[in-house]
Amino acid sequence: MTTTRRKFLTTSALGGAAALAAPAVQAQSTIRWRMQTYAGSALGEFVVKPAVDLFNSLAGDAMQIDLYYADQLVPTGELFQAMQRGTIDCVQSDDDSMASPTEVTVFGGYFPFASRYSLDVPALFNDWGLKAIWESEYEKVGVKHISAGSWDPCHFITNDPITSLADLAGKRVFTFPTAGRFLSQYDVVPVNVPYEDVQIALQTGEIDGVAWCGATEAYTVGWADAANYFLTNNISGAWIGHFFANMERWNELSPHLQSLLATCFEQSHYHRQHWYWAGEARYRTEGGKLELTSIPDAEWAGVETAARTFWDEIGAESEVKAQVVQIFKDYNAAMDRAGRPYRYS
């Protein structure tokens, strides 16, 4: 009887320990996500890698993100489809570049003159209602919209000087789809090349310039080495970009990991905001590679007026687009009324 009892106790103890150990082993199985950004490796070092490194450090064995740069897994134009079907778990991009099939795609990247300063973007999303619209639109297509943030303003960086609207005619320019659609009325010819090939395309004359970024990015990725001029007039004060995730993958995460991921991405938005803001002034004044040119304010005012006509054309396409356009109108009108420092002219 004693022997039997001892065997029972020993067996039960071992069985109980094994049963308790099994969930612990499962908990140590690290979740791995694949994430691709629109940015090439040189730019990605600043606009996304710090956030991924921070998340990986904080998440530890619970979860790790493997980061890929522009076109490394799939072409940028296929990012949405790859994320939607789960080939990629997470994406950093604007809606426009990744060919999102939503009603808000046209507003991603640089929607002409929708913003004047980088702070306009988080204000529009977090305080003026755009966040809820984006979340709803992406939920319809099985994608989680995590957050939106601002990047740099959009300027022309060219091989030849631009000092009037007439100088834009015939220029082959690497730009975003919606920006290209707007600029085509000035006879700009939008050209699409892989992001990492832009510098070579500038050097060989395949393109005459870019309308893709500001001074910070141009100097960081080497485009300032291949071009000569920087037009101080811009068609938008800040690029609108986002973090997205496959909805199933997102829902599989614990609330803790979801919060941690969202927090790290919010920190990334903040980091980019001051990094770009400081860089724009520094490189224009100290860069030394790009000569600054300008189109007279009176002539450029016509471009701003044309942008409002473009807004109305977009707003007429659907109810959702009309809602977004109205928010842009109301916000900018409020900033104009508020005056300095929100708007100077």
Side-chain angles (χ1 to χ4, degrees):
M1 179 68 69
T2 302
T3 301
T4 303
R5 184 181 295 113
R6 285 174 179 170
K7 287 183 178 179
F8 171 78
L9 292 172
T10 302
T11 303
S12 298
L14 290 173
L20 290 171
V25 170
Q26 292 175 359
Q28 291 173 3
S29 180
T30 303
I31 299 169
R32 298 206 77 92
W33 271 20
R34 299 204 300 176
M35 175 181 180
Q36 184 171 312
T37 175
Y38 80 98
S41 56
L43 182 65
E45 286 286 330
F46 298 96
V47 301
V48 65
K49 188 175 184 296
V52 172
D53 289 345
L54 176 63
F55 175 82
N56 287 344
S57 174
L58 295 174
D61 292 337
M63 181 174 173
Q64 292 288 289
I65 296 175
D66 299 318
L67 177 63
Y68 297 87
Y69 298 111
D71 306 315
Q72 286 189 335
L73 294 178
V74 298
T76 298
E78 298 176 14
L79 275 177
F80 177 85
Q81 292 181 350
M83 174 175 52
Q84 187 182 44
R85 64 175 177 259
T87 304
I88 297 173
D89 303 292
C90 189
V91 164
Q92 180 199 46
S93 179
D94 67 283
D95 319 74
D96 213 13
S97 296
M98 70 176 189
S100 166
T102 68
E103 290 294 315
V104 295
T105 295
V106 70
F107 304 107
Y110 294 114
F111 191 62
F113 298 97
S115 65
R116 182 164 297 190
Y117 306 120
S118 58
L119 274 174
D120 290 338
V121 174
L124 281 160
F125 273 84
N126 296 305
D127 299 285
W128 282 76
L130 292 191
K131 181 177 181 180
I133 296 173
W134 258 252
E135 288 176 349
S136 174
E137 286 301 302
Y138 277 96
E139 187 175 4
K140 295 175 185 176
V141 292
V143 166
K144 170 66 179 178
H145 175 263
I146 300 173
S147 61
S150 62
W151 274 250
D152 48 345
C154 183
H155 293 262
F156 281 91
I157 298 159
T158 55
N159 290 323
D160 299 323
I162 305 295
T163 58
S164 70
L165 290 177
D167 292 335
L168 294 175
K171 293 292 188 292
R172 296 160 299 170
V173 174
F174 174 65
T175 190
F176 295 86
T178 299
R181 176 178 166 183
F182 171 71
L183 293 170
S184 63
Q185 64 188 290
Y186 302 103
D187 296 324
V188 171
V189 181
V191 177
N192 186 31
V193 297
Y195 185 92
E196 296 285 22
D197 294 345
V198 170
Q199 185 170 350
I200 297 298
L202 282 167
Q203 291 171 336
T204 61
E206 180 182 353
I207 59 176
D208 300 304
V210 300
W212 179 273
C213 62
T216 309
E217 185 166 339
Y219 277 85
T220 299
V221 303
W223 297 350
D225 297 320
N228 302 310
Y229 298 94
F230 181 94
L231 181 64
T232 60
N233 312 76
N234 62 59
I235 65 167
S236 187
W239 188 74
I240 301 175
H242 314 265
F243 287 101
F244 305 93
N246 174 280
M247 187 66 81
E248 290 184 6
R249 298 289 84 75
W250 174 263
N251 289 337
E252 289 170 359
L253 298 181
S254 67
H256 170 73
L257 286 176
Q258 289 177 349
S259 296
L260 183 60
L261 194 62
T263 299
C264 290
F265 289 164
E266 282 295 333
Q267 194 279 334
S268 176
H269 294 316
Y270 172 72
H271 168 77
R272 278 193 318 278
Q273 199 154 47
H274 65 74
W275 181 72
Y276 273 121
W277 185 260
E280 290 306 300
R282 181 182 305 117
Y283 287 115
R284 291 191 207 186
T285 58
E286 303 173 12
K289 296 179 180 180
L290 296 172
E291 182 179 339
L292 305 183
T293 64
S294 298
I295 294 174
D297 290 343
E299 188 176 5
W300 193 249
V303 182
E304 296 197 31
T305 300
R308 297 306 174 100
T309 301
F310 183 75
W311 289 13
D312 290 335
E313 293 172 359
I314 298 298
E317 294 177 354
S318 75
E319 291 184 7
V320 172
K321 291 177 181 178
Q323 186 179 359
V324 174
V325 166
Q326 191 60 53
I327 289 174
F328 282 137
K329 287 183 176 180
D330 293 344
Y331 175 80
N332 279 281
M335 297 299 104
D336 289 340
R337 292 195 305 272
R340 300 170 186 260
Y342 301 98
R343 295 290 185 266
Y344 284 82
S345 62

